[in-house]
Amino acid sequence: MPLESASLQRIKPSPTIAISAKARALSREGRDIIGLAAGEPDFDTPDNVKEAAIKAIRDGKTKYTDPDGTPELKEAICAKFARENGLTYKPSQIHVAPGGKPVIYNAFLATLSPGDEVVIPAPYWVSYPDMALLAGGQPVFVETTLEQGFKVTPRALEAAITPRTKWLVLNSPSNPTGSAYTADELKALGEVLKRHPQVMVLADDIYEHLVYGGFRFSTIAQVVPELYDRTLTMNGVSKAYAMTGWRIGYAGGPEALIKLMGKAISQTTSNPCSISQAASIEALNGTQAYLPERAKVFEARRDLVVSMLNQAAGLECPTPEGAFYVYPSCRKLIGKKTPAGKVIDSDETFAVELLEAEGVAVVHGAAFGLSPFFRISYATATEVLEDACTRIQRFCASLA
Ligand SMILES: Cc1ncc(COP(=O)(O)O)c(C=O)c1O
């Protein structure tokens, strides 16, 4: 009898974590490594949020809470959805979990039976397919193209839906491409979804506050009210408030679904950290003034990285609307050789050889389900990004 369960055998470890680990190992060996693989803001958690956590400890808020979030945090989340998204939820429609990732997993665990399909546009965040598989569902991928801004078209969505489709995952702005859907694009997808009442929508809005160049963020339950009753609008404090380590994610959705997700969490992780919940109330209710300031910094970095990558021989880098990722194509470099004679036969070889030759860690597109591309996270200091892009330019120029 194998030690590993059948359900765990269906999944693979997160490839982005593996690449970051490899880069850290090379770093420990004394190599000069620039890691552009990790998906977390380099800013610190704001002081008012830290103070709220310290106060929570002093006030003794150190005990179990309701499994899916405190009433106070749920109120703050309802206020956030009303204020920023024009969405009305009651506290009984809110689920809080230890991070955005468990929110999604709880939704899948609560709803997927063997054979149920989850439509996932590719490239996708690495965890969606594996979480669907772990929960017993079947991922169905819809490939997008650079030319369409990596966005799923209504026609492609229609073709992917079957009577077994339970969920559509919509992540905007996207990890790994940074592309974001306009309100009109969401409405066009909504027209398709209206014809298929069995499909629920998981709107992963975790990068909501990171949009640039005047782009207006929209979420599908807001712009297609007919879908409100079958949309789970998911978000979290990790990316917007630089709180990745605090582990708080949340979602608003139909009461019946939220109840099932509460049942799932009550017998697994139970409540998210009480102190992190108190800190998240302050993040949501306190000043939001630093959000546009931080977004400006990210926007300048995006522009720098896009411009420098487009000057690298053989790379093609679209300008994304949001998040802190770019997803350049390396298709013109496939088939070329490194000075040592190694053939670049895939985006994975490109990433490995780049790490070996220039010490820059990026994640190959195959990890996100669309090749030949790679992902760069630009959530790092401007000088470091300049250095990294100069190295990438040098590496690309060395291929023949
Ligand atoms: C698209 C997307 N959704 C959700 C998450 C989960 O965030 P967390 O679990 O850190 O709150 C991430 C984190 O990388 C992400 O990129």
Side-chain angles (χ1 to χ4, degrees):
M1 198 190 286
L3 177 63
E4 190 176 19
S5 68
S7 48
L8 209 63
Q9 284 176 39
R10 290 197 290 268
I11 69 164
K12 55 188 183 320
S14 166
T16 47
I17 291 173
I19 284 163
S20 296
K22 184 168 179 188
R24 273 195 299 273
L26 284 174
S27 211
R28 275 196 299 275
E29 285 168 21
R31 290 277 311 271
D32 170 24
I33 302 294
I34 303 180
L36 301 180
E40 66 180 347
D42 55 322
F43 291 107
D44 198 5
T45 302
D47 282 340
N48 62 316
V49 175
K50 290 182 183 172
E51 289 304 325
I54 293 165
K55 183 170 184 315
I57 295 173
R58 294 223 165 93
D59 291 350
K61 292 190 177 159
T62 54
K63 302 285 167 62
Y64 292 132
T65 73
D66 289 345
D68 62 353
T70 62
E72 297 78 15
L73 178 52
K74 289 183 179 180
E75 287 290 352
I77 292 165
C78 291
K80 177 263 179 253
F81 277 131
R83 180 177 72 236
E84 296 180 346
N85 309 113
L87 286 171
T88 306
Y89 290 116
K90 295 182 287 202
S92 55
Q93 292 180 277
I94 302 295
H95 178 85
V96 186
K101 201 180 243 186
V103 171
I104 300 167
Y105 184 62
N106 290 340
F108 287 169
L109 183 65
T111 55
L112 292 176
S113 298
D116 288 347
E117 295 169 359
V118 179
V119 172
I120 303 174
Y124 44 75
W125 177 43
V126 292
S127 296
Y128 299 131
D130 288 287
M131 289 197 286
L133 284 166
L134 197 56
Q138 192 54 49
V140 172
F141 301 115
V142 187
E143 283 199 0
T144 64
T145 62
L146 181 149
E147 290 71 24
Q148 292 158 352
F150 302 112
K151 295 180 214 180
V152 66
T153 61
R155 184 195 291 249
L157 175 61
E158 182 77 64
I161 293 175
T162 75
R164 293 306 308 265
T165 308
K166 195 112 187 210
W167 286 98
L168 163 69
V169 176
L170 272 184
N171 172 215
S172 170
S174 148
N175 176 4
T177 65
S179 73
Y181 290 86
T182 64
D184 283 344
E185 287 165 341
L186 291 174
K187 283 180 193 162
L189 296 178
E191 288 308 312
V192 175
L193 292 163
K194 281 187 216 170
R195 292 195 284 273
H196 300 280
Q198 82 281 18
V199 182
M200 295 187 290
V201 186
L202 173 76
D204 180 343
D205 297 348
I206 202 140
Y207 294 99
E208 164 178 17
H209 286 291
L210 300 172
V211 290
Y212 316 122
F215 182 87
R216 266 186 71 106
F217 172 84
S218 307
T219 191
I220 196 156
Q222 168 194 25
V223 297
V224 189
E226 296 91 331
L227 296 179
Y228 172 86
D229 283 332
R230 50 185 169 113
T231 298
L232 187 69
T233 306
M234 178 253 148
N235 211 315
V237 296
S238 296
K239 315 285 176 173
Y241 302 99
M243 291 175 69
T244 45
W246 298 72
R247 311 309 302 132
I248 296 290
Y250 58 85
E255 224 163 66
L257 171 64
I258 296 296
K259 220 180 205 148
L260 292 177
M261 291 168 66
K263 180 178 172 187
I265 202 171
S266 73
Q267 293 292 29
T268 54
T269 58
S270 216
N271 68 271
C273 168
S274 58
I275 299 149
S276 296
Q277 291 192 70
S280 299
I281 295 173
E282 175 60 22
L284 294 173
N285 286 348
T287 175
Q288 308 291 306
Y290 52 84
L291 296 182
E293 289 163 18
R294 290 182 172 188
K296 273 262 155 298
V297 175
F298 278 126
E299 181 170 352
R301 291 175 181 169
R302 174 200 67 169
D303 293 344
L304 170 81
V305 168
V306 168
S307 155
M308 287 189 77
L309 292 178
N310 278 321
Q311 289 167 49
L315 294 186
E316 201 179 334
C317 185
T319 304
E321 292 88 358
F324 39 66
Y325 307 106
V326 290
Y327 201 65
S329 161
C330 54
R331 66 186 142 197
K332 293 189 187 137
L333 299 175
I334 300 298
K336 298 208 172 209
K337 283 188 186 147
T338 66
K342 177 92 186 166
V343 178
I344 305 292
D345 56 0
S346 66
D347 50 24
E348 183 161 10
T349 310
F350 177 88
V352 169
E353 292 301 316
L354 174 64
L355 183 57
E356 284 294 327
E358 292 287 352
V360 179
V362 301
V363 186
H364 54 291
F368 307 102
L370 196 72
S371 293
F373 295 86
F374 61 98
R375 186 193 78 173
I376 283 183
S377 162
Y378 57 82
T380 194
T382 305
E383 316 77 72
V384 177
L385 290 171
E386 262 165 3
D387 185 5
C389 290
T390 304
R391 295 185 195 197
I392 294 171
Q393 288 176 351
R394 200 161 52 213
F395 176 69
C396 292
S398 77
L399 302 175

